[in-house]
Amino acid sequence: MNDIALAHYLFTGAVLFALGMVGFVTRRNMILMFLCTEMMFQGVVVSLVGFSRLHGNDTGQTFVIFVLTIAAAEAALALGLVVLLYRRKRTLDAGAWAELNG
Amino acid sequence: MSVMADKLAGVWPEITLGLGACVCMALGLAKASSTRKLTSWVAGLFLLLSGVLAIAGPQPTSGLILPPQMVLYVKLAVVAVGVVLLLVAAQLPSSWRATHRAEEGIEPFDPANVMRGEFFAFFLFSLAGVMLTTTANDLVWLFLSLELVSLPTYVMVATSQDRIRAQESAVKYFFLGALAVAVFLYGFTLIYGATGFTDLSRVQSAAATTTSPLLTLGIVLAIVGISFKIAAVPMHFYTADVYQGAATPVTAFLAFVPKTAGFVAIIILLSMLPQWPTHGPIMWLLWIMAALTMTVGNVMGLLQTSVKRTLAYSSIAHSGYLLVGLLAGPALLTSGGGGSGAIGNGIAAVLFYLVAYALSTIGAFAVLGCVQVDGHEADSFDDISGLSTKHPGLAAVMLVCVLSLVGLPPLLGFIGKIYLFGSAMAHRGENPAFVWLVVVAVLNSAVSAVYYLRIIGACYFGKPSGRTEPQHCPSRRIAALVCGIAVVVMGVAGNRLVTLARESSQLAQPSQQTPAKVVSDELPTDIHGG
């Protein structure tokens, strides 16, 4: 375990975060877009744990619990919205939602 | 135990709002529709109660990052503007009708269409979030309170109207919101990584001894993420769609509540730094954000055919103006001890302008909400065309509120803008780039007059369209009237409010702050004299 340095944690976190952001911008399926934001959250979580190890205090890991809680709340909200939209339009393509423009 | 009691002492207003939200939710489930209609009254009652507690309740003795007067000011502003917003939202008539029709069996029950008590519960939760943001003393707390502000607003947007565009805009709002949360959370993580603490006072002292690029990057990311809440570039894309898609009362809500929370959060984050950023990357980030936000808002505002979209871009533009004041930062350490008025104190200007902008824009939205076309709320310029012939009172409120948004003397918006731009000018000794920002801001104000005058032109000189009919919603008219009167009266006699905002913003910066040269007295301070 000790040969995993802080840099590994941070790199993993940053990669997860960046992948999530790229996915969010390029994907058009709403569930995938939501999963991409979740991936960004996980990137944050990994970095927090890494920093927590570096500083030798538990604050970062406590923070993680709260991040996960909010992520769960957002997931509940997102699925509710997606179901509502699917019932209205029968598609999950974000591009189909273009009533508001200009 | 006493530590816990002290921590609780600062949050009684928020606890009251949380309790109120629970009561509203329970009332919203009542069987009789007459009981359910009480929820708006109950929400108002709890809101006023929390205001009373904010003034007269127990005060925390320690643990605040912001000065206690500033916390009190923001809480009272939230209560006052919250009452006006509640008046605008109180009936949401279209939804009550849908609910009624579902009860009578005329239409099938659709949970997305009926408005019940939970709307007011979410309303109160979101306001509690803003209050909690001001008392935040930990990154975790700040994160949770910002989320408490935003999560209810997603639901409010989605359920505000039974039109598909409300739900579409809610989805756009939510997804960009989730992205923004991830970005500022990453910023918070880097702040923790750089200092080793999430406790903000410890972050403050750690930042004072070491300068690390990680901390700067963290604050930059946090500001970029929070720019979603204040509807500033680069996270402004949702604004026009959401403001148009949501019902007018919710739009008015979005124009004040998340914006206030966002600005308070940015003020808290910037006060982590050993001194206010007048140089370096954070200053340039805010400078570019302010310039771009103003310009994008005003240029896009020129191109719109919908009044709600125009006001949405005006909301973006006003965030840009507010960022100018934010950049100017707290008062210079003058020898006179702050006797030279609020000019020079950017934070006070921001706090004042948040309320000034809120009253002006809520008034305009309330007028829009009082008129309906073909059973829907007024939206396009044609819908409000010739408003003055049928509803002279509403047209007058619209005139006053829009002129205040332009910044015409002696209205509230004018005073606000003088303080914002004046404080940036007062700080020009610290960085000459502030002068250019003020030039950009003034040019932008001039451009914005074009589309604001289009709104007035449509109201007063347009041909009345036969399709508009008044919305039967007395409380919304009262709200419009309150905003109209407040914009005029507070504009004329706003000195007291300005003093209040100034007193409330004596930001506690760590001790290394260098006494800067007094430059504020070159500006006219007695602008009420004339």
Side-chain angles (χ1 to χ4, degrees):
Chain A
M1 193 64 189
N2 283 333
D3 50 348
I4 302 179
L6 171 73
H8 293 90
Y9 284 105
L10 295 187
F11 183 72
T12 314
V15 165
L16 277 173
F17 188 83
L19 277 180
M21 188 169 261
V22 170
F24 184 85
V25 176
T26 54
R27 295 286 178 167
R28 296 267 56 96
N29 181 303
M30 284 194 292
I31 291 184
L32 282 181
M33 283 169 77
F34 178 68
L35 287 181
C36 288
T37 63
E38 287 297 298
M39 200 147 122
M40 293 170 76
F41 271 84
Q42 301 318 314
V44 169
V45 164
V46 172
S47 311
L48 272 174
V49 172
F51 281 128
S52 188
R53 254 179 89 93
L54 167 74
H55 294 299
N57 59 27
D58 292 338
T59 332
Q61 299 189 28
T62 322
F63 203 157
V64 167
I65 306 285
F66 287 101
V67 173
L68 291 180
T69 314
I70 290 292
E74 287 209 331
L77 203 53
L79 293 179
L81 280 173
V82 168
V83 168
L84 184 70
L85 283 182
Y86 184 73
R87 287 216 312 235
R88 287 254 177 159
K89 283 242 167 150
R90 296 281 155 194
T91 174
L92 287 175
D93 186 4
W97 295 89
E99 189 174 319
L100 295 164
N101 252 324
Chain B
M1 193 58 208
S2 66
V3 177
M4 194 63 202
D6 197 51
K7 278 214 190 304
L8 275 181
V11 294
W12 279 111
E14 291 89 334
I15 292 173
T16 313
L17 287 183
L19 278 177
C22 297
V23 172
C24 282
M25 261 192 210
L27 263 185
L29 294 171
K31 216 169 179 185
S33 77
S34 56
T35 318
R36 287 203 300 273
K37 282 182 184 172
L38 285 177
T39 43
S40 50
W41 291 98
V42 172
L45 206 66
F46 274 98
L47 198 51
L48 291 176
L49 188 62
S50 80
V52 170
L53 277 176
I55 303 172
Q59 305 290 342
T61 49
S62 63
L64 287 174
I65 290 299
L66 298 177
Q69 299 95 326
M70 183 165 161
V71 172
L72 184 64
Y73 173 87
V74 176
K75 284 186 180 180
L76 291 182
V78 166
V79 169
V81 180
V83 169
V84 177
L85 283 168
L86 196 62
L87 282 175
V88 182
Q91 280 159 322
L92 275 173
S94 59
S95 309
W96 284 121
R97 200 170 57 232
T99 315
H100 182 70
R101 289 169 76 86
E103 275 170 6
E104 300 289 316
I106 302 168
E107 280 173 4
F109 176 80
D110 180 355
N113 288 356
V114 294
M115 181 62 63
R116 294 182 308 250
E118 71 264 17
F119 177 85
F120 298 104
F122 287 132
F123 186 98
L124 293 184
F125 273 136
S126 194
L127 292 182
V130 184
M131 289 190 180
L132 279 174
T133 312
T134 62
T135 37
N137 60 9
D138 197 288
L139 283 176
V140 183
W141 184 332
L142 193 59
F143 161 62
L144 289 177
S145 56
L146 284 173
E147 281 305 277
L148 187 58
V149 174
S150 276
L151 287 177
T153 58
Y154 304 140
V155 185
M156 285 165 75
V157 171
T159 57
S160 66
Q161 247 180 332
D162 53 355
R163 301 173 78 181
I164 199 159
R165 55 164 63 169
Q167 280 129 35
E168 181 186 331
S169 61
V171 167
K172 285 182 179 169
Y173 190 36
F174 173 79
F175 275 91
L176 200 61
L179 181 76
V181 172
V183 171
F184 82 67
L185 207 49
Y186 202 65
F188 284 8
T189 304
L190 294 184
I191 295 174
Y192 169 65
T195 56
F197 301 105
T198 55
D199 187 323
L200 290 175
S201 54
R202 287 191 184 172
V203 171
Q204 206 168 31
S205 47
T209 50
T210 55
T211 49
S212 104
L214 206 55
L215 180 71
T216 309
L217 184 63
I219 289 182
V220 164
L221 277 178
I223 290 174
V224 168
I226 291 172
S227 73
F228 167 81
K229 304 256 189 288
I230 63 173
V233 173
M235 294 271 186
H236 66 287
F237 296 106
Y238 72 93
T239 317
D241 287 348
V242 173
Y243 279 40
Q244 191 187 13
T248 312
V250 179
T251 313
F253 189 84
L254 293 182
F256 172 68
V257 173
K259 215 184 263 285
T260 307
F263 273 103
V264 170
I266 295 181
I267 291 171
I268 290 179
L269 283 174
L270 290 182
S271 64
M272 292 299 100
L273 294 168
Q275 59 199 14
W276 203 260
T278 49
H279 294 279
I282 294 176
M283 176 265 160
W284 282 110
L285 171 81
L286 288 171
W287 198 97
I288 292 167
M289 266 172 70
L292 278 181
T293 306
M294 287 186 281
T295 314
V296 166
N298 285 322
V299 171
M300 293 298 288
L302 292 174
L303 309 174
Q304 303 305 317
T305 54
S306 149
V307 182
K308 275 169 98 177
R309 284 185 91 89
T310 308
L311 288 173
Y313 282 111
S314 124
S315 165
I316 299 179
H318 279 86
S319 285
Y321 304 147
L322 283 161
L323 282 171
V324 175
L326 189 73
L327 197 52
L332 302 168
L333 292 181
T334 57
S335 51
S340 60
I343 286 187
N345 189 338
I347 302 302
V350 168
L351 291 177
F352 177 76
Y353 200 69
L354 277 169
V355 175
Y357 167 71
L359 288 173
S360 314
T361 201
I362 291 169
F365 280 123
V367 171
L368 276 185
C370 286
V371 183
Q372 61 176 355
V373 179
D374 300 336
H376 289 305
E377 285 169 332
D379 187 13
S380 70
F381 278 99
D382 290 339
D383 293 347
I384 59 162
S385 174
L387 191 68
S388 64
T389 50
K390 272 189 183 172
H391 310 289
L394 290 180
V397 171
M398 187 63 124
L399 176 74
V400 170
C401 288
V402 168
L403 286 180
S404 167
L405 288 173
V406 178
L408 211 72
L411 298 169
L412 194 54
F414 166 72
I415 299 175
K417 270 190 185 156
I418 284 286
Y419 283 127
L420 278 181
F421 302 162
S423 50
M425 285 303 280
H427 285 252
R428 69 182 179 278
E430 293 164 35
N431 194 329
F434 287 174
V435 179
W436 290 106
L437 195 60
V438 173
V439 170
V440 173
V442 172
L443 284 178
N444 263 294
S445 296
V447 172
S448 74
V450 175
Y451 62 80
Y452 288 128
L453 291 178
R454 265 180 79 200
I455 300 178
I456 298 172
C459 283
Y460 275 87
F461 307 113
K463 210 169 68 187
S465 71
R467 297 178 304 143
T468 54
E469 50 197 275
Q471 186 93 268
H472 183 68
C473 194
S475 73
R476 205 169 288 178
R477 283 161 188 273
I478 295 172
L481 196 66
V482 167
C483 288
I485 292 173
V487 165
V488 176
V489 171
M490 285 162 71
V492 176
N495 230 339
R496 177 72 198 121
L497 195 70
V498 171
T499 326
L500 207 67
R502 189 189 72 219
E503 282 168 0
S504 74
S505 64
Q506 311 294 341
L507 254 190
Q509 291 273 327
S511 52
Q512 296 118 320
Q513 196 169 26
T514 48
K517 180 163 64 119
V518 183
V519 284
S520 62
D521 49 8
E522 289 171 27
L523 275 148
T525 50
D526 186 24
I527 59 166
H528 299 286

